[in-house]
Amino acid sequence: MPPILPRKFYARDPVSVAQDLLGKLLVSGQTTGRIVEVEAYLGTGDQAAHSARGITDRTRVIFGPPGHAYVYFIYGMYECLNIVTSPAGTAGCVLIRALEPIAGIDLMRERRPRAKRIEDLANGPGKLTLAMGIDRSRNGADLTRRAGPLTVHNASTALPFDIVTTTRIGIGVSAELPLRFYIAGNSCVSVP
DNA sequence: GGTAGGATGGGCT
DNA sequence: GCCCATCCTACCC
């Protein structure tokens, strides 16, 4: 497995981290996925960010040190994975929106029995947490810790790709900001 | 091919 | 009480 991304990788603005996370490998237990779609949520000037109204029990981790997981529960049924960016004391995170399944695909299929194609296993923020076995018990997990439950690794054999920038999916405020990024032409993106 | 609506519960006013 | 960073099914071309 290629090296784990160090904390300094995450200690930058969320837009830079979001763009640079594309193509990296997310590992959870026996499952591995390549990150193909992300959204940035800013610490200031972004009314769509959960951190926009300050520190609460839910949002505390977003204001903590970078390189940790922020996992939240949504629509009574699903969980979404974010990665905390920016130095401790400031807010900023990246929502992981889609993965290309790389390893543990049989296990992903067991966890997502309704998915017909491999591309459907993790092509959405709620789908990928199910496929990878990620839930709220991972909230606050340190992604830079070796032997941790959730890690992000450099992609050793990554081919070059173009990045497409759009507005974010499913939000009502600050909707005009161009903060969604995905790998051009990838078949596992949620909304191509 | 497309879309409208339901499921389901925690967070916050 | 309302909103929500979603997903799936049913139903209609």
Side-chain angles (χ1 to χ4, degrees):
Chain A
M1 187 64 65
I4 291 176
L5 298 182
R7 195 170 315 284
K8 66 181 179 188
F9 175 91
Y10 302 105
R12 300 178 290 148
D13 70 279
V15 170
S16 298
V17 175
Q19 293 170 338
D20 290 347
L21 276 171
L22 291 175
K24 301 296 192 290
L25 299 174
L26 178 68
V27 178
S28 171
Q30 299 302 310
T31 59
T32 299
R34 180 173 176 245
I35 299 171
V36 300
E37 178 183 348
V38 295
E39 284 177 359
Y41 287 85
L42 311 182
T44 57
D46 182 2
Q47 289 306 306
H50 289 175
S51 55
R53 291 189 182 84
I55 298 177
T56 67
D57 283 345
R58 181 174 69 150
T59 63
R60 181 166 292 109
V61 66
I62 308 173
F63 292 85
H68 290 251
Y70 165 52
V71 184
Y72 69 92
F73 185 62
I74 189 69
Y75 293 118
M77 272 181 263
Y78 300 105
E79 276 139 314
C80 294
L81 169 67
N82 291 251
I83 298 178
V84 175
T85 74
S86 312
T90 63
C93 62
V94 175
L95 171 68
I96 309 301
R97 277 198 60 88
L99 303 173
E100 179 181 322
I102 299 293
I105 293 175
D106 289 344
L107 182 51
M108 292 187 194
R109 282 197 181 284
E110 288 178 27
R111 290 165 169 168
R112 296 250 321 125
R114 300 226 191 81
K116 302 291 186 195
R117 314 170 304 151
I118 287 182
E119 291 88 345
D120 297 324
L121 288 171
N123 60 343
K127 299 177 190 178
L128 73 90
T129 54
L130 286 170
M132 303 281 289
I134 297 166
D135 61 24
R136 281 165 287 177
S137 71
R138 299 293 185 241
N139 190 47
D142 185 353
L143 304 178
T144 68
R145 207 182 102 234
R146 299 192 76 79
L150 200 56
T151 48
V152 185
H153 301 252
N154 220 325
S156 53
T157 60
L159 298 174
F161 51 79
D162 290 329
I163 296 176
V164 180
T165 302
T166 75
T167 54
R168 295 173 292 186
I169 304 290
I171 58 170
V173 291
S174 295
E176 73 285 359
L177 300 177
L179 295 176
R180 173 175 177 252
F181 309 99
Y182 64 87
I183 293 179
N186 189 278
S187 61
C188 298
V189 168
S190 66
V191 184

